[in-house]
């Protein structure tokens, strides 16, 4: 079967054939291409467009190919793409009648149909893997609703929280990553088949029927749009890029938290490396690599956006180049997802250390100011000034949070507002206690164990949807 035989009197150079062939990354759409041909042929038979007997032979050859697998195809780059290799297979099986298969069909609508079919499976798979990661996180959170932890802004000690509260931030980010894919799926789940080259066909094809046979939710309403749009690919890559960002951020925190200076967590040995020269080293290489690899999808997104920006309607061969970048973004992100899931679930948390940090370095100062507002009706700004001064004097006096008492606060409040605030020893100590801090934040989204439990409940509802 030689596609060029009509129009040309010779072949491309080997180099040009190799350069233009998509066979290598078309392997990914092999199964979808069989489905697509099967649905199209079935419809052609049903509508009486091709001889029934020829159609049946084509379907039989497609079944045989499906059983034999991709190894049965001749994947010579001179075939340009998998569609030609597949037609070549059917031709070898049944002879010239195979030629009926391409009635009212073009590789232009065929390829984007295949990509959409394959992509639907990819997205479903990733959604289920994200959900399983969220499940793991939720289980970890349940075990750690009372595990004190320090939260940062500007990577400086900010306020005490719990490990569960921080974990549930991951869960909520991942939930949005998941929901983004669920939304994108709607636009992937549309059938371009029947657009043919670009203006459909004069044959009375039944596009509703192929839509049904292929399991698409909708048929695409414009054939030029059908063959030329790849916004669904760009959008999908964005979703994976965003998911990569979430995963990269988790990895970044694992790198920081596991350093000697932080010592908040320890990576399992299975996710750590050592140094070829420094025998003492335990390095979080896997976390670093997932942080580094998380940028790959961004590059793919820029590549694809640039490709689809620079071309007119409708099909242009440039579009062929979009596909490998789509798969690469997906594969890389899936790798990171799997690895970060494994790494986080085997992380050990150093509870003594996180408790120590939660109470250290005046992380409870906000609560002390809040107590002044609540108990003594002080404007928050005045309270903020008093506590700010308490902290700066404590640093000058070289004392820690634990050394601050009622007298100390009173002395500073006299300096700031001319009279003692008189909170009393109990209120001062309670305000500066990290666990009390955490327990007081019971509002929606807060770090109090009951607030985190509510958030966990909401997440479980999402997971069971
Ligand atoms: N390999 C092509 C692609 O991936 C399939 C469509 C080719 N169409 C064409 N007119 N050469 O986009």
């Amino acid at each position: 079967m030689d596609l060029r035989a009509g129009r040309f009197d010779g072949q491309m150079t080997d180099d040009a054939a190799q350069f233009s062939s998509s066979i290598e990354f078309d392997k990914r759409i092999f199964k979808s291409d069989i489905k697509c041909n099967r649905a199209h042929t079935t419809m052609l038979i049903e509508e009486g467009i091709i001889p029934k007997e020829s159609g049946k032979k084509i379907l039989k050859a497609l079944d045989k190919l499906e059983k034999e697998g991709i190894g049965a195809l001749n994947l010579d780059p001179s075939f340009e793409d998998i569609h030609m290799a597949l037609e070549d297979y059917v031709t070898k099986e049944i002879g010239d009648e195979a030629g009926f298969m391409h009635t009212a069909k073009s590789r232009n609508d065929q390829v984007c149909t295949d990509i959409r079919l394959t992509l639907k499976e990819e997205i479903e798979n990733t959604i289920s893997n994200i959900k399983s990661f969220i499940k793991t996180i939720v289980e970890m959170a349940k075990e750690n609703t009372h595990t004190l932890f320090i939260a940062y802004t500007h990577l400086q000690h900010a306020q005490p929280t719990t490990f569960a509260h921080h974990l549930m931030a991951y869960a909520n980010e991942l939930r949005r990553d998941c929901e983004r894919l669920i939304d994108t799926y709607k636009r992937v789940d549309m059938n371009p088949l029947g657009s043919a080259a670009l203006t459909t066909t004069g044959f009375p094809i039944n596009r509703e029927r192929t839509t049904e046979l292929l399991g698409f939710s909708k048929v695409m309403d414009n054939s030029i749009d059908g063959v030329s749009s790849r916004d669904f690919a760009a959008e999908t890559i964005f979703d994976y890029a965003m998911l990569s960002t979430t995963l990269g951020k988790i990895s970044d925190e694992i790198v920081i938290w596991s350093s000697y200076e932080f010592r908040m967590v320890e990576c399992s040995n299975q996710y750590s490396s050592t140094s070829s020269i420094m025998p003492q080293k335990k390095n979080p290489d896997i976390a670093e690599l997932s942080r580094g690899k998380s940028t790959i999808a961004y590059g793919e997104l820029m590549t694809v956006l640039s490709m689809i920006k620079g071309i007119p309607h409708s099909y242009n061969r440039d579009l062929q180049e979009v596909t490998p970048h789509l798969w690469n973004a997906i594969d890389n992100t899936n790798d990171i997802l799997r690895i970060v899931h494994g790494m986080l679930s085997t992380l050990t948390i150093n509870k003594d250390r996180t408790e120590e940090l939660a109470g250290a370095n005046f992380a409870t100062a906000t609560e002390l100011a809040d107590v002044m507002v609540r108990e003594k009706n002080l404007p928050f700004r005045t309270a903020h000034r008093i506590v700010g001064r308490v902290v700066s004097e404590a640093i000058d006096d070289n004392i820690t949070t634990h050394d601050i008492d009622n007298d100390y606060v009173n002395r500073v409040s006299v300096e700031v507002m001319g009279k003692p605030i008189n909170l009393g020893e109990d209120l001062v100590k309670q305000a500066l206690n990290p666990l009390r801090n955490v327990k007081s934040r019971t509002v929606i989204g807060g770090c109090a164990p009951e607030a985190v439990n509510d958030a966990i409940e909401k997440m479980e509802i999402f997971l069971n949807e």
Side-chain angles (χ1 to χ4, degrees):
M1 188 205 60
D2 182 3
L3 189 62
R4 298 168 62 88
R7 180 69 175 81
F8 301 124
D9 60 3
Q11 300 303 321
M12 276 186 178
T13 68
D14 287 349
D15 197 27
Q18 185 78 47
F19 183 76
S20 59
S21 173
S22 57
I23 289 263
E24 202 37 51
F25 51 84
D26 278 348
K27 288 177 184 164
R28 188 95 170 218
I29 56 173
F30 168 66
K31 286 194 179 130
S32 299
D33 204 46
I34 294 178
K35 275 190 209 155
C36 177
N37 277 300
R38 188 183 279 142
H40 186 71
T41 306
T42 304
M43 180 277 293
L44 292 176
I45 299 170
E46 288 173 359
E47 302 300 323
I49 297 172
I50 61 171
K52 196 171 172 183
E53 280 317 305
S54 308
K56 277 187 171 168
K57 285 185 200 163
I58 293 169
L59 291 176
K60 226 173 129 195
L62 290 172
D63 288 347
K64 182 160 181 254
L65 176 59
E66 189 170 52
K67 275 196 205 93
E68 290 172 1
I70 195 162
L73 290 185
N74 177 1
L75 294 177
D76 192 280
S78 65
F79 279 131
E80 254 188 62
D81 50 39
I82 196 110
H83 321 297
M84 296 318 300
L86 187 145
E87 197 176 318
D88 171 71
Y89 174 93
V90 179
T91 308
K92 281 191 181 127
E93 286 294 316
I94 68 169
D96 284 346
E97 280 170 287
F100 281 115
M101 191 168 74
H102 210 61
T103 315
K105 170 162 76 60
S106 158
R107 286 178 295 164
N108 297 354
D109 60 343
Q110 194 173 341
V111 72
C112 50
T113 304
D114 293 358
I115 296 169
R116 285 170 182 272
L117 285 173
T118 308
L119 190 51
K120 278 174 63 178
E121 282 175 26
E122 293 286 354
I123 293 177
E124 281 164 15
N125 190 28
T126 302
I127 287 173
S128 128
N129 290 336
I130 298 174
K131 283 192 164 182
S132 125
F133 186 24
I134 298 177
K135 246 176 224 148
T136 302
I137 292 174
V138 163
E139 290 313 312
M140 289 172 77
K142 283 181 185 167
E143 303 288 306
N144 286 286
T145 52
H146 287 76
T147 306
L148 283 172
F149 210 68
I150 181 71
Y152 296 82
T153 59
H154 313 267
L155 197 56
Q156 302 290 331
H157 273 214
Q159 294 176 343
T161 183
T162 64
F163 190 42
H165 188 228
H166 198 96
L167 285 169
M168 287 309 291
Y170 295 168
N172 279 278
E173 285 161 14
L174 288 163
R175 174 182 174 162
R176 287 194 301 280
D177 291 328
C178 200
E179 287 172 338
R180 225 172 264 122
L181 282 168
I182 292 170
D183 199 64
T184 293
Y185 186 90
K186 289 186 249 164
R187 286 172 291 281
V188 175
D189 189 17
M190 298 170 88
N191 184 18
L193 191 66
S195 300
L198 75 164
T199 62
T200 71
T201 172
F203 290 101
I205 57 170
N206 184 345
R207 295 193 61 204
E208 300 286 0
R209 180 64 176 139
T210 53
T211 300
E212 183 193 328
L213 287 168
L214 291 170
F216 281 112
S217 297
K218 277 188 195 156
V219 59
M220 290 188 76
D221 288 332
N222 181 288
S223 58
I224 292 179
D225 180 43
V227 293
S228 58
S229 57
R230 292 293 185 276
D231 55 320
F232 73 91
E235 179 182 354
T236 304
I237 301 176
F238 172 80
D239 295 350
Y240 278 87
M242 204 59 233
L243 170 59
S244 286
T245 308
T246 306
L247 299 168
K249 209 157 148 183
I250 296 173
S251 306
D252 183 42
E253 292 189 331
I254 292 177
V255 173
I256 295 172
W257 293 346
S258 62
S259 72
Y260 180 76
E261 286 68 23
F262 282 74
R263 290 197 298 289
M264 288 155 68
V265 299
E266 189 171 342
C267 274
S268 129
N269 290 348
Q270 292 168 300
Y271 290 90
S272 306
S273 304
T274 187
S275 156
S276 61
I277 175 168
M278 298 170 281
Q280 86 285 10
K281 290 282 276 177
K282 177 168 182 180
N283 293 329
D285 289 38
I286 301 300
E288 292 166 282
L289 286 165
S290 28
R291 185 175 59 184
K293 281 175 192 264
S294 69
T295 61
I296 290 171
Y298 311 164
E300 301 301 29
L301 179 61
M302 281 307 123
T303 303
V304 165
L305 285 173
S306 317
M307 275 176 188
I308 60 183
K309 175 207 177 290
I311 48 177
H313 290 95
S314 64
Y315 181 81
N316 297 272
R317 194 68 182 277
D318 314 44
L319 293 178
Q320 176 174 300
E321 283 305 307
V322 167
T323 320
H325 295 283
L326 171 64
W327 303 143
N328 198 39
I330 292 175
D331 291 346
N332 263 288
T333 310
N334 283 340
D335 285 349
I336 302 169
L337 177 59
R338 200 182 55 251
I339 283 287
V340 173
H341 186 165
M343 183 171 56
L344 189 75
S345 62
T346 53
L347 200 69
T348 329
I349 166 149
N350 181 352
K351 293 187 184 181
D352 293 340
R353 176 67 175 162
T354 56
E355 188 171 332
E356 175 197 338
L357 290 172
N361 199 20
F362 312 103
T364 46
T366 314
E367 183 62 13
L368 183 58
D370 287 351
V371 166
M372 291 177 182
V373 175
R374 273 201 297 271
E375 301 291 332
K376 300 291 172 182
N377 245 328
L378 228 56
F380 181 74
R381 274 290 155 255
T382 310
H384 185 277
R385 208 173 322 128
I386 296 171
V387 178
R389 183 74 69 83
V390 166
V391 170
S392 83
E393 292 195 13
I395 292 168
D396 290 345
D397 294 343
N398 206 15
I399 63 169
T400 70
T401 318
H402 311 289
D403 303 318
I404 294 167
D405 57 14
N406 189 46
D407 289 345
Y408 201 88
V409 176
N410 272 342
R411 193 172 48 71
V412 176
S413 85
V414 171
E415 284 168 31
V416 173
M417 61 171 191
K419 55 178 189 211
I421 177 129
N422 277 327
L423 286 176
E425 206 57 52
D426 270 4
L427 280 181
V428 170
K429 288 296 167 197
Q430 278 172 26
L432 296 174
N433 178 307
L435 189 59
R436 295 296 282 247
N437 271 241
V438 160
K439 286 189 168 169
S440 71
R441 282 151 170 75
T442 55
V443 295
I444 296 173
C447 55
E450 64 260 46
V452 171
N453 281 329
D454 287 348
I456 287 175
E457 237 171 72
K458 282 190 196 167
M459 193 57 70
E460 285 185 323
I461 291 171
F462 164 71
L463 290 174
N464 293 326
E465 265 166 21

